[in-house]
């Protein structure tokens, strides 16, 4: 953003009154880094006639910048410009933009505020984060958005039929449990078996002995999540005889096989809901 662009700075300054939080990036490189690092509800792109700076090679016009942004994010993109040549040359692009138009802030800032709000409120990511707002706030507080991204992915996929036999759910839940155990170690709830990256089961057992701190239903949630996530994370080696594992129900590989073959159609869902119970409890500590 150019410091001399008064209409843009006025738009950003007044955004708080519209209950919007706008983060300014001055170069394409800075924008690209933020898009890779965090999740954004929407992008406002300042279309200047000059060549944009940054790591994206050989950017010569608005269309190139827009296409490259689409490759690294799936957020709605609003484009602001007062440059008549851009409006005239890129009419085709305008039809594909969010709002189907270019916005000129001096004339349509109010409309842009309203369009951003409407687009964001209809966005699935926003709706999920809003529904589980306290949990997502906790996730963002314990690491650099890794847990946030994993949980959002799980909750989005939860709505799809393929979630029932998705073999990656236990592995993703286990990654989130790693962050939870690290957090519980850091705040002193886990002491005897401080999490070391591989002892989820031992930590779960210890939490089960802390009835004065960990509610009973949360203890049970930890036990199920840890057992299923650990065991479901193991896959049957290629070439092994399937019946050998069907006979050995106690074998950890059995969990993975049951999920993939839809023999446990509600296990992934139970796993995620128990995880939500754990995360909500953690957010109250």
């Amino acid at each position: 953003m150019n410091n001399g662009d008064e209409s843009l700075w006025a738009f950003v300054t007044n955004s708080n009154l519209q209950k919007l939080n706008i983060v300014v990036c001055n170069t394409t490189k800075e924008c690209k880094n933020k898009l890779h690092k965090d999740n954004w509800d929407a992008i406002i792109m300042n279309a200047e006639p000059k060549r944009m700076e940054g790591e994206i090679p050989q950017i010569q016009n608005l269309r190139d910048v827009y296409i490259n942004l689409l490759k690294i994010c799936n957020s709605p993109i609003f484009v602001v410009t007062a440059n008549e040549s851009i409006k005239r040359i890129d009419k085709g692009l305008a039809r594909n933009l969010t709002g189907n138009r270019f916005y000129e802030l001096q004339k349509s800032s109010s409309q842009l505020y309203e369009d951003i709000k409407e687009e964001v409120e209809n966005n699935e990511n926003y709706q999920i984060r809003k529904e589980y707002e306290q949990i997502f706030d906790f996730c963002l507080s314990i690491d650099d958005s890794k847990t946030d991204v994993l949980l959002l992915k799980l909750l989005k996929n939860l709505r799809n039929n393929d979630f029932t036999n998705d073999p990656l759910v236990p592995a993703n839940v286990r990654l989130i449990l790693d962050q939870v155990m690290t957090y519980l170690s850091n705040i002193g709830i886990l002491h005897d078996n401080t999490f070391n990256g591989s002892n989820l089961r031992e930590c779960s057992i210890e939490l089960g002995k802390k009835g004065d701190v960990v509610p009973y239903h949360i203890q049970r949630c930890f036990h199920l999540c840890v057992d299923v996530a650990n065991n479901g994370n193991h896959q049957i080696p290629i070439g092994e005889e399937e019946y050998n594992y069907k006979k050995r129900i106690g074998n950890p590989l059995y969990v993975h096989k049951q999920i993939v073959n839809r023999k446990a159609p509600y296990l992934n869902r139970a796993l995620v809901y128990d995880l939500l119970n754990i995360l909500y409890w953690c957010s109250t500590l």
Side-chain angles (χ1 to χ4, degrees):
M1 181 181 291
N2 191 323
N3 287 331
D5 196 328
E6 295 180 1
S7 59
L8 271 173
W9 280 112
F11 181 83
V12 172
T13 302
N14 293 329
S15 63
N16 288 335
L17 299 176
Q18 301 291 330
K19 297 182 179 180
L20 296 175
N21 179 28
I22 297 179
V23 177
V24 176
C25 297
N26 292 304
T27 65
T28 302
K29 179 180 179 180
E30 184 182 355
C31 175
K32 188 177 179 182
N33 289 338
K34 287 184 180 295
L35 288 174
H36 280 304
K37 182 178 178 181
D38 301 310
N39 294 287
W40 301 94
D41 293 319
I43 297 171
I44 303 171
M45 179 178 161
N46 178 22
E48 298 182 6
K50 66 180 182 181
R51 181 176 179 143
M52 304 293 284
E53 300 175 2
E55 294 180 354
I56 302 175
Q58 299 180 346
I59 293 177
Q60 297 180 356
N61 54 44
L62 167 64
R63 189 181 295 270
D64 293 327
V65 180
Y66 177 75
I67 290 173
N68 277 284
L69 283 175
L70 288 178
K71 290 179 180 178
I72 59 177
C73 76
N74 56 8
S75 304
I77 301 173
F78 296 86
V79 179
V80 297
T81 184
N83 187 279
E84 294 299 328
S85 63
I86 289 179
K87 293 181 183 179
R88 187 169 55 253
I89 294 171
D90 279 319
K91 288 182 179 179
L93 175 60
R95 289 192 292 269
N96 294 317
L97 295 176
T98 307
N100 305 120
R101 59 182 290 188
F102 295 108
Y103 292 85
E104 188 172 345
L105 293 184
Q106 291 181 340
K107 298 179 180 179
S108 56
S109 60
S110 296
Q111 185 63 53
L112 179 53
Y113 283 132
E114 294 305 314
D115 288 352
I116 290 174
K117 291 177 185 177
E118 181 178 358
E119 187 71 27
V120 168
E121 287 171 0
N122 290 329
N123 182 276
E124 184 182 20
N125 290 358
Y126 174 85
Q127 292 172 351
I128 292 174
R129 284 199 172 90
K130 195 68 177 176
E131 182 177 356
Y132 303 96
E133 187 171 8
Q134 183 171 335
I135 291 175
F136 276 104
D137 286 345
F138 166 73
C139 291
L140 287 171
S141 73
I142 62 174
D143 66 11
D144 193 13
S145 79
K146 177 181 177 182
T147 303
D148 172 271
V149 171
L150 284 172
L151 182 61
L152 181 63
K153 179 180 179 180
L154 284 171
L155 293 176
K156 286 180 71 173
N157 292 342
L158 185 64
R159 304 180 177 190
N160 301 327
N161 292 331
D162 291 342
F163 189 82
T164 294
N165 65 321
D166 184 350
L168 298 179
V169 171
N172 286 328
V173 168
R174 194 190 189 289
L175 289 173
I176 295 176
L177 287 173
D178 286 349
Q179 297 299 324
V180 169
M181 294 302 189
T182 298
Y183 169 74
L184 294 177
S185 295
N186 290 339
I187 66 174
I189 289 181
L190 277 174
H191 178 66
D192 296 335
N193 287 300
T194 298
F195 183 59
N196 62 18
S198 62
N199 61 336
L200 279 179
R201 185 172 181 275
E202 288 80 3
C203 290
S204 174
I205 292 173
E206 181 183 337
L207 291 172
K209 299 176 182 178
K210 293 182 176 288
D212 56 329
V213 178
V214 186
Y216 180 75
H217 72 286
I218 297 299
Q219 296 175 26
R220 306 316 302 172
C221 288
F222 268 114
H223 295 337
L224 182 138
C225 281
V226 169
D227 285 345
V228 174
N230 268 343
N231 295 335
N233 195 31
H234 298 284
Q235 299 183 18
I236 295 178
I238 296 174
E240 292 286 351
E241 293 289 342
E242 182 176 336
Y243 73 88
N244 287 335
Y245 295 97
K246 285 186 175 179
K247 289 180 179 179
R248 294 156 58 190
I249 295 178
N251 192 296
L253 300 172
Y254 185 79
V255 174
H256 171 80
K257 200 65 178 177
Q258 292 295 89
I259 290 174
V260 171
N261 288 345
R262 297 181 184 269
K263 300 293 186 180
Y266 306 109
L267 185 55
N268 276 346
R269 296 180 186 278
L271 190 58
V272 170
Y273 283 120
D274 275 357
L275 177 66
L276 288 173
N277 280 323
I278 291 171
L279 293 172
Y280 180 80
W281 171 72
C282 287
S283 73
T284 66
L285 297 175

